[in-house]
Amino acid sequence: MNVLILGANGMLGPFVVNALEADHTLRLTDVNDFEDSRHEYFKLDVSDLDAVVDAAEGMDAIVNLSVLRPHRQIAFDVNARGAYNAMEAAVRHSIPRVINTGPHFTIAGPTYEDLDYRIGPDAPSASGTYLYALTKSLGQEISSVFTENHDVHVLTLLFYNFRDPGDHSTDGQDVIPYAVSWEDAGRAFGLALTVGLDTLPSRCEIFYIFTDLPHEKFSNEKAKRILGWQPQDRLEHLWRKGSR
Amino acid sequence: MESSGMELYVKILITGGSFLLPQRLAAALAGAHDVVLTARSELDEDAPGHRFLRSDLGHDDATNELVRGMDVIVHSGESDEDATESERLDVAMRCTYNLLMAAAAERVPCFIYLGSLGILGKYDEDMTITERWRPVPTTDISDVCYHLGEFVCREFGRERKASVVCLRLGDLVWDGVESGEANSSALYFDDAVQAVEKALSAGEHGAGPAARSQALGKPGWNIFHIQSSVPKARFATGAAETHLGYSPAARS
């Protein structure tokens, strides 16, 4: 599969590339320069519609890893308009599959997270007004609107707290109940790229990607059931006292 | 907000000043209220009866200064057909966010978003579409912009950072068009003005925000469908009639 990755040089990008490169031909893009001679690379700004459309030519799937958190103008440019541009590019090139990404509060903002447990990814969006959450939620809404009007599928993988299983500096201090290892996160992309589109409940599906945790604050059941994703790094040393 | 005697006199900021509806609204409301019209571009003509202030609706103090002291903000969800898709999306999302952040910071008590019934246009004509129906916008950029502007407003309403009234407006009909020529979603201008006037005054003759919430139905976020009473009217306006006192003129 020919796969365009937007935002390939962010924090998560290298882990996604590692997970996909054996099975797919990758075209990497990022707003920054980076040295990766193994794959085709375009420097582009995801907020540039024409550039994204051009970069998507000949692709079978688009993986959108682009993200910007604190700067208001750029957060809207990247998180919301970037999602629009990815979807527009998919439609123009008849690319059937887009993998979108974001934080868990793209859906579950404070009105869920502050109150509820076993929160699943299919709840109605309630991001709240926090800039990062709302701009990613807008991007998700844009993606959803495209899938309702065009023959394109969006699989959105939502993350929050990435952890290195080898880091024991905070052992036994508990963990954000939405954590995953970088490697497990990367593996979810391989599954999202290969799951049969005709097996999905709809053209727009959201998955919570975090490891099995005892808190039961959120639920990763859907990712296991539909994608077949199974976390390999339990991160138990972070939340069990005996690990100190 | 002053309520001396029978009439309510409020300070109103109206955005989208380069478009016809906000301009006409400003002119219509100026006689009874202190109206400021704003646009992201300079206007060519004078605006009699009200002030004009250009604003980028940016993330800076200028937007706070613009909204400071206002009783009501009427924010148009219309986007410029001559602008690029990217520019239109930017205004619909980021500028709406900036305006609401400023409104929240400056404690503007009432925010009215002028959306569009077009985001429900995919439903069949024979369906009774009320505010309980899920928006189903097309990917037409105008639809998308109205929808995303509303999406931003909704989150501010959800968090009670602003008291938002979303008026989803029908297809505007200007003077001189007979009702027989209008479509089933038509909204005549005088009915649109009435809806805005009703929304900005809802509950305020009583005892402040609590009375306003009670009049509107819910605190934070309220949607009302607004169209004229034309033959075979497509959208139900009962909620606006009940909670706002909206009373569109009878048209045969």
Side-chain angles (χ1 to χ4, degrees):
Chain A
M1 194 179 286
N2 292 324
V3 181
L4 171 68
I5 301 183
L6 303 169
N9 198 32
M11 298 284 281
L12 182 58
F15 296 94
V16 176
V17 170
N18 286 343
L20 301 184
E21 61 187 353
D23 301 316
H24 304 284
T25 302
L26 305 182
R27 176 178 290 169
L28 311 184
T29 70
D30 200 279
V31 71
N32 299 313
D33 289 313
F34 72 110
E35 297 176 6
D36 185 327
S37 59
R38 295 174 299 167
H39 305 285
E40 183 182 14
Y41 168 68
F42 288 171
K43 181 176 181 178
L44 70 78
D45 181 347
V46 73
S47 68
D48 182 339
L49 174 60
D50 292 337
V52 175
V53 169
D54 289 346
E57 186 171 9
M59 295 291 108
D60 302 307
I62 299 173
V63 175
N64 183 12
L65 303 178
S66 60
V67 61
L68 196 291
R69 297 178 184 87
H71 187 281
R72 194 178 291 183
Q73 174 75 62
I74 306 174
F76 277 94
D77 290 350
V78 171
N79 301 340
R81 287 203 297 106
Y84 179 91
N85 295 346
M87 296 307 300
E88 182 70 22
V91 168
R92 290 196 199 180
H93 292 297
S94 299
I95 297 170
R97 186 187 309 250
V98 175
I99 313 297
N100 196 20
T101 57
H104 69 292
F105 42 53
T106 295
I107 299 297
T111 51
Y112 286 123
E113 188 169 2
D114 292 351
L115 300 172
D116 297 312
Y117 298 92
R118 294 184 177 174
I119 304 166
D122 291 327
S125 163
S127 68
T129 61
Y130 173 46
L131 179 66
Y132 179 28
L134 179 55
T135 52
K136 276 292 186 180
S137 191
L138 284 161
Q140 178 60 30
E141 182 67 12
I142 289 166
S143 302
S144 175
V145 170
F146 270 84
T147 64
E148 292 184 13
N149 288 278
H150 300 280
D151 188 15
V152 58
H153 287 70
V154 173
L155 295 88
T156 297
L157 307 181
L158 298 183
F159 304 93
Y160 186 55
N161 186 227
F162 297 102
R163 305 300 294 239
D164 172 5
D167 179 358
H168 293 276
S169 61
T170 60
D171 279 3
Q173 297 180 22
D174 199 14
V175 64
I176 292 171
Y178 200 111
V180 68
S181 72
W182 293 101
E183 288 77 9
D184 277 343
R187 280 188 279 274
F189 288 85
L191 296 163
L193 277 176
T194 53
V195 65
L197 295 178
D198 57 352
T199 68
L200 298 175
S202 77
R203 288 203 294 256
C204 184
E205 292 295 331
I206 301 170
F207 302 93
Y208 282 171
I209 306 297
F210 63 94
T211 193
D212 293 332
L213 293 167
H215 308 65
E216 295 198 73
K217 187 70 176 168
F218 297 91
S219 169
N220 61 8
E221 180 274 339
K222 184 180 174 186
K224 294 178 177 177
R225 173 169 45 88
I226 294 179
L227 298 181
W229 181 74
Q230 286 291 340
Q232 297 177 17
D233 299 313
R234 291 292 311 280
L235 307 178
E236 192 167 353
H237 57 96
L238 297 174
W239 49 265
R240 226 181 249 290
K241 289 178 181 173
S243 301
R244 284 183 180 174
Chain B
M1 194 174 294
E2 297 174 19
S3 182
S4 56
M6 295 297 290
E7 297 299 323
L8 188 72
Y9 182 81
V10 296
K11 296 178 181 176
I12 306 172
L13 174 69
I14 302 176
T15 71
S18 57
F19 305 119
L20 191 53
L21 175 61
Q23 289 174 3
R24 297 280 296 272
L25 268 177
L29 297 173
H33 305 286
D34 181 1
V35 176
V36 173
L37 185 68
T38 187
R40 300 181 76 241
S41 55
E42 290 290 352
L43 295 188
D44 295 332
E45 56 193 65
D46 292 335
H50 55 270
R51 290 176 287 151
F52 173 77
L53 294 173
R54 201 198 74 76
S55 171
D56 290 326
L57 299 182
H59 177 199
D60 52 36
D61 291 342
T63 304
N64 286 64
E65 290 171 14
L66 181 70
V67 308
R68 191 166 298 144
M70 292 293 164
D71 297 308
V72 182
I73 295 173
V74 179
H75 180 46
S76 170
E78 189 172 353
S79 60
D80 184 355
E81 292 182 359
D82 295 328
T84 66
E85 290 167 85
S86 296
E87 290 167 342
R88 294 174 75 172
L89 289 164
D90 183 51
V91 172
M93 296 185 292
R94 184 182 60 86
C95 292
T96 298
Y97 184 84
N98 288 340
L99 187 63
L100 278 158
M101 288 294 281
E106 301 298 334
R107 301 182 185 278
V108 178
C110 176
F111 191 99
I112 299 172
Y113 178 71
L114 303 182
S116 171
L117 287 168
I119 65 173
L120 297 153
K122 284 166 61 179
Y123 287 117
D124 293 345
E125 284 264 356
D126 65 353
M127 294 175 172
T128 305
I129 311 298
T130 67
E131 292 80 355
R132 290 189 291 266
W133 292 57
R134 186 175 71 89
V136 284
T138 68
T139 49
D140 174 87
I141 191 64
S142 178
D143 258 14
V144 171
C145 287
Y146 274 120
H147 178 58
L148 297 177
E150 183 179 312
F151 191 99
V152 173
C153 291
R154 185 193 69 186
E155 293 309 305
F156 279 79
R158 185 193 305 279
E159 292 190 342
R160 310 282 200 270
K161 286 187 173 175
S163 175
V164 183
V165 175
C166 175
L167 302 180
R168 291 184 182 146
L169 305 181
D171 296 335
L172 279 158
V173 179
W174 304 103
D175 305 335
V177 177
E178 299 296 328
S179 60
E181 301 171 44
N183 68 29
S184 61
S185 305
L187 174 62
Y188 283 80
F189 176 69
D190 53 349
D191 288 335
V193 172
Q194 184 205 140
V196 172
E197 287 183 315
K198 295 288 188 183
L200 67 86
S201 62
E204 288 300 346
H205 291 289
R212 179 173 177 77
S213 295
Q214 186 174 17
L216 291 171
K218 301 182 293 293
W221 174 243
N222 287 276
I223 307 170
F224 298 105
H225 289 181
I226 304 294
Q227 74 154 100
S228 290
S229 179
V230 294
K232 297 182 179 177
R234 183 173 183 182
F235 295 96
T237 58
E241 292 166 26
T242 299
H243 293 287
L244 300 181
Y246 174 60
S247 179
R251 301 174 198 275
S252 56

